[in-house]
Protein backbone atom coordinates (compact mmCIF):
# COMPACT_ATOMS: atom_id res chain seq x y z
CA UNK A 1 0.00 0.00 0.00
CA UNK A 2 1.18 3.51 -0.78
CA UNK A 3 1.01 6.01 2.05
CA UNK A 4 1.45 9.74 1.69
CA UNK A 5 2.88 11.84 4.47
CA UNK A 6 4.07 15.34 5.18
CA UNK A 7 5.07 17.85 7.78
CA UNK A 8 2.45 20.32 8.95
CA UNK A 9 3.06 23.09 6.41
CA UNK A 10 3.63 20.69 3.50
CA UNK A 11 7.09 21.85 2.50
CA UNK A 12 8.34 18.36 3.35
CA UNK A 13 6.29 15.61 1.77
CA UNK A 14 6.95 11.97 1.07
CA UNK A 15 5.46 8.63 0.06
CA UNK A 16 6.02 5.23 1.64
CA UNK A 17 5.31 1.85 0.10
CA UNK A 18 4.65 -0.98 2.52
CA UNK A 19 2.26 -2.57 4.97
CA UNK A 20 1.85 -0.68 8.21
CA UNK A 21 1.73 -3.55 10.66
CA UNK A 22 2.39 -1.50 13.77
CA UNK A 23 4.48 1.30 15.16
CA UNK A 24 7.11 1.71 17.82
CA UNK A 25 6.84 4.15 20.66
CA UNK A 26 10.39 4.74 21.82
CA UNK A 27 11.20 6.30 25.16
CA UNK A 28 14.62 7.68 24.22
CA UNK A 29 15.34 11.31 24.93
CA UNK A 30 14.27 12.59 21.54
CA UNK A 31 11.41 10.26 20.59
CA UNK A 32 9.68 10.89 23.88
CA UNK A 33 9.89 14.64 23.37
CA UNK A 34 8.64 14.39 19.79
CA UNK A 35 5.86 12.01 20.68
CA UNK A 36 6.81 10.09 17.57
CA UNK A 37 5.30 6.76 16.57
CA UNK A 38 7.85 5.10 14.32
CA UNK A 39 7.47 2.66 11.47
CA UNK A 40 10.77 1.25 10.20
CA UNK A 41 10.94 0.61 6.45
CA UNK A 42 13.77 -0.13 4.03
CA UNK A 43 15.00 3.31 2.97
CA UNK A 44 14.24 2.77 -0.74
CA UNK A 45 10.56 2.29 0.22
CA UNK A 46 10.37 5.97 1.09
CA UNK A 47 10.44 8.64 -1.59
CA UNK A 48 10.69 12.34 -0.86
CA UNK A 49 8.36 14.33 -3.08
CA UNK A 50 8.99 17.80 -1.60
CA UNK A 51 11.72 19.18 0.61
CA UNK A 52 13.63 22.16 -0.85
CA UNK A 53 15.77 23.89 1.74
CA UNK A 54 13.34 23.04 4.48
CA UNK A 55 14.49 19.58 5.45
CA UNK A 56 16.65 19.94 8.54
CA UNK A 57 18.85 17.28 10.06
CA UNK A 58 19.54 16.73 13.73
CA UNK A 59 22.15 14.23 14.88
CA UNK A 60 23.17 13.62 18.47
CA UNK A 61 24.63 11.01 20.79
CA UNK A 62 26.19 8.10 18.92
CA UNK A 63 25.36 9.81 15.65
CA UNK A 64 23.79 6.78 13.99
CA UNK A 65 20.37 8.29 13.27
CA UNK A 66 19.59 11.52 11.46
CA UNK A 67 16.37 13.07 12.73
CA UNK A 68 14.83 15.00 9.86
CA UNK A 69 12.52 17.92 10.45
CA UNK A 70 10.86 20.77 8.62
CA UNK A 71 12.64 24.05 9.21
CA UNK A 72 9.43 25.97 8.66
CA UNK A 73 6.88 24.20 10.84
CA UNK A 74 9.16 22.14 13.10
CA UNK A 75 7.48 18.79 12.56
CA UNK A 76 9.64 15.65 12.44
CA UNK A 77 8.21 13.44 9.67
CA UNK A 78 10.95 10.82 9.66
CA UNK A 79 14.43 9.78 10.71
CA UNK A 80 17.01 7.75 8.85
CA UNK A 81 20.24 5.87 9.33
CA UNK A 82 23.27 8.05 8.82
CA UNK A 83 25.48 5.46 7.18
CA UNK A 84 25.44 5.45 3.39
CA UNK A 85 26.74 1.89 3.29
CA UNK A 86 24.74 -1.29 3.50
CA UNK A 87 21.00 -1.46 3.96
CA UNK A 88 19.59 1.80 5.21
CA UNK A 89 16.39 2.19 7.16
CA UNK A 90 13.91 5.03 7.30
CA UNK A 91 11.86 5.54 10.44
CA UNK A 92 8.56 7.05 9.44
CA UNK A 93 6.63 9.07 11.99
CA UNK A 94 3.22 7.45 11.55
CA UNK A 95 1.60 10.56 13.02
CA UNK A 96 2.59 12.36 9.81
CA UNK A 97 0.84 9.95 7.41
CA UNK A 98 -2.41 10.86 5.70
CA UNK A 99 -5.51 8.73 6.11
CA UNK A 100 -4.22 6.42 8.83
CA UNK A 101 -6.53 5.50 11.69
CA UNK A 102 -4.04 5.84 14.51
CA UNK A 103 -6.37 4.13 16.97
CA UNK A 104 -6.10 0.99 14.81
CA UNK A 105 -2.30 0.94 14.73
CA UNK A 106 -0.77 -1.54 17.11
CA UNK A 107 1.87 0.15 19.24
CA UNK A 108 5.00 -1.62 20.46
CA UNK A 109 6.95 -0.10 23.31
CA UNK A 110 10.71 0.18 22.80
CA UNK A 111 13.08 1.00 25.61
CA UNK A 112 15.42 3.20 23.60
CA UNK A 113 16.42 5.00 26.77
CA UNK A 114 18.29 1.89 27.91
CA UNK A 115 19.57 0.87 24.47
ZN1 LIG B 1 6.68 22.09 7.47
Amino acid sequence: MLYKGSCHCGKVAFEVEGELGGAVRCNCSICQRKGALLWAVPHPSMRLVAWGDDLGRYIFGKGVIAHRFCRTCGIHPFAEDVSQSGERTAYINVNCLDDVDLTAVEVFEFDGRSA
Side-chain angles (χ1 to χ4, degrees), residues 4-19:
K4 293 178 188 294
S6 66
C7 66
H8 187 262
C9 72
K11 288 186 174 174
V12 177
F14 60 95
E15 295 176 343
V16 190
E17 179 69 46
E19 296 306 318

Side-chain angles (χ1 to χ4, degrees), residues 6-12 54 69-75:
S6 66
C7 66
H8 187 262
C9 72
K11 288 186 174 174
V12 177
D54 292 281
F69 61 94
C70 173
R71 290 194 167 106
T72 295
C73 69
I75 296 297

Side-chain angles (χ1 to χ4, degrees), residues 4-54:
K4 293 178 188 294
S6 66
C7 66
H8 187 262
C9 72
K11 288 186 174 174
V12 177
F14 60 95
E15 295 176 343
V16 190
E17 179 69 46
E19 296 306 318
L20 178 56
V24 168
R25 179 164 48 217
C26 173
N27 67 357
C28 83
S29 58
I30 190 165
C31 288
Q32 180 171 305
R33 282 171 170 79
K34 286 193 284 193
L37 277 179
L38 299 174
W39 173 32
V41 299
H43 204 286
S45 300
M46 186 194 72
R47 189 172 73 87
L48 278 169
V49 295
W51 64 97
D53 296 328
D54 292 281

